[in-house]
Amino acid sequence: MRRFHTTAVHAGREDFIELGVHAPPLDLSTTYPVTDLDAGGDSFSALVAGQARADNPIYARLHNPTVARTERAIAALEGTQACVAYGSGMAALTAVLMARQAHGRHVLVVRPLYGTSDHLLSSGLCGLEAEFVQPGEIAARRRDDTALVVIETPGNPTLDLVDIQAVVEAAGGVPVLVDSTFATPVLQNPANLGATYVLHSATKFLGGHGDVIAGVVCCSEEDAAPLRTMRAATGALLHPMAAFLLHRGLPTLPLRVERAQANARELATRLQGHAAVAAVYYPGLGTVRNAELAGTQMRGPGTLISFEAKGGHAAAAALMSKVKLMTPAVSLGSVDTLVQHPAGLTHRMLDQATRKATGITEGLLRLSVGIEDVEDLWEDLDAALA
């Protein structure tokens, strides 16, 4: 079995010698010739039913070879049978929620999680009843119509960790979806701990360069089929150019995460002693819920840091206006360092009571650490804090 760094480089490229290429082929076709009508009809039926491939792709909304190649690569990194790619992380989450409606309308959700995910679930836009619970309440809150349990670990933006294996046991057979965007397959593999669905906003670390919007769900082949059917019916497909860029980013994924994590460890330690910082939330410092899981469930503390700036909203706004090297912007997981204000941006749609209950204060800033020289990052951050 190949080791992770090797898999990251070679996954999805198994047939390159046969094809006579060295870079992933980019297929931009929207439609494919059907010279044999009966065979074409069989392919159409197979793809609409959620089959991974067929003799003829028929139409790009049903199947695209470039997208399928990237899906195979990401599945290899997560250790799952299948991966289904979408036009965004939110499209991926929506597909899972819609696919699970056939099994019930009740969903158990653990906060914190990405603000738009929280909004989608709490708003009922997908026709589901979301009940927000603590991990220890899952077993008691399960119902006959509970179709899914949703968790995000590390959580966005406070970096609280959730014990995936314990949640799977408490779910008692109800499928568990883990948003593992912050951890990446480099640091965490939820499917190995019993999760049914592993969700990534591939816009973040998997793409890694701030130039692609994408989402993926890794799961078994059996669970992937309804997701492909939902994708075909709703048109939530990933564009092949985005898939090409996503595949291009995978070989450097472990290198990027490892370098950024080393930077994050150092910055978190320095922030903890800074006079302008009230608190630092980072698994490597033991300052988040279930921080011990960073050494067991996860293979490291990650590259995200959240910290409380003394002075609340005004101090947070001042820092975002004063950084010179870091980019004041939403998103994360790029090669460059980004800083953003969850209460005012990514989690703005949550009501104030929910933000307060989940630790999203007006002074909280989230730092997505990149691969720059750590001394340059610290000089920029220290100057902005001062």
Side-chain angles (χ1 to χ4, degrees):
M1 183 177 179
R2 288 175 174 171
R3 293 164 179 82
F4 190 88
H5 282 70
T6 304
T7 299
V9 173
H10 291 280
R13 300 165 185 256
E14 295 81 5
D15 59 348
F16 277 19
I17 296 297
E18 179 184 347
L19 293 172
V21 299
H22 185 241
L26 173 57
D27 188 332
L28 294 171
S29 299
T30 58
T31 192
Y32 299 86
V34 182
T35 56
D36 185 324
L37 181 57
D38 292 336
D42 291 342
S43 292
F44 188 96
S45 295
L47 294 171
V48 169
Q51 190 169 298
R53 59 183 61 86
D55 291 337
N56 190 321
I58 302 295
Y59 186 54
R61 180 165 50 79
L62 305 178
H63 182 86
N64 175 272
T66 300
V67 174
R69 183 182 300 280
T70 303
E71 289 173 332
R72 292 195 297 273
I74 295 173
L77 295 181
E78 277 295 359
T80 57
Q81 293 176 334
C83 170
V84 186
Y86 297 86
S88 71
M90 290 309 303
L93 175 59
T94 300
V96 176
L97 295 176
M98 294 181 71
R100 292 303 304 170
Q101 283 187 10
H103 304 272
R105 296 297 180 110
H106 180 241
V107 179
L108 291 170
V109 187
V110 175
R111 282 172 167 149
L113 64 163
Y114 174 49
T116 305
S117 300
D118 193 306
H119 176 66
L120 178 67
L121 288 157
S122 61
S123 66
L125 284 171
C126 288
L128 296 168
E129 176 195 348
E131 183 178 359
F132 293 89
V133 297
Q134 294 299 317
E137 299 173 323
I138 291 173
R141 299 293 183 90
R142 281 195 339 252
R143 303 186 332 207
D144 291 341
D145 65 337
T146 302
L148 188 68
V149 176
V150 177
I151 65 173
E152 180 175 347
T153 182
N156 189 352
T158 62
L159 304 177
D160 285 340
L161 306 185
V162 180
D163 189 327
I164 296 170
Q165 198 163 14
V167 167
V168 169
E169 293 173 1
V174 175
V176 174
L177 179 149
V178 178
D179 185 334
S180 194
T181 299
F182 277 22
T184 81
V186 179
L187 300 178
Q188 178 174 276
N189 300 110
N192 292 344
L193 301 172
T196 303
Y197 304 102
V198 183
L199 175 77
H200 290 279
S201 173
T203 307
K204 313 305 192 294
F205 292 98
L206 299 187
H209 294 79
D211 57 7
V212 59
I213 298 287
V216 299
V217 180
C218 298
C219 56
S220 69
E221 182 58 38
E222 180 182 359
D223 290 310
L227 299 182
R228 295 192 193 103
T229 297
M230 191 63 63
R231 179 178 65 180
T234 60
L237 68 156
L238 178 65
H239 191 277
M241 178 59 79
F244 175 86
L245 292 172
L246 186 54
H247 199 181
R248 186 188 65 175
L250 295 181
T252 60
L253 174 64
L255 299 177
R256 289 185 280 107
V257 170
E258 289 160 6
R259 169 62 184 238
Q261 180 175 251
N263 283 348
R265 288 179 190 267
E266 182 63 26
L267 291 179
T269 300
R270 296 187 187 188
L271 281 169
Q272 197 171 39
H274 200 285
V277 175
V280 179
Y281 306 104
Y282 183 63
L285 296 178
T287 52
V288 303
R289 189 179 305 171
N290 299 319
E292 70 280 358
L293 293 172
T296 53
Q297 176 173 286
M298 293 177 66
R299 292 179 285 274
T303 71
L304 276 295
I305 305 168
S306 285
F307 63 96
E308 188 79 31
K310 291 181 180 178
H313 179 91
L319 183 141
M320 289 185 65
S321 70
K322 290 178 181 178
V323 288
K324 302 300 182 185
L325 179 64
M326 299 178 181
T327 303
V330 298
S331 199
L332 57 107
S334 187
V335 289
D336 60 320
T337 300
L338 307 177
V339 60
Q340 71 102 4
H341 183 246
L345 295 168
T346 56
H347 292 71
R348 189 182 186 90
M349 67 285 292
L350 275 61
D351 61 70
Q352 189 171 3
T354 300
R355 290 201 301 267
K356 183 178 179 181
T358 50
I360 304 171
T361 65
E362 289 298 320
L364 188 72
L365 288 157
R366 191 192 70 194
L367 194 65
S368 173
V369 182
I371 64 173
E372 304 97 329
D373 189 290
V374 70
E375 295 301 334
D376 291 326
L377 291 175
W378 178 248
E379 287 175 8
D380 188 40
L381 189 56
D382 183 39
L385 283 166

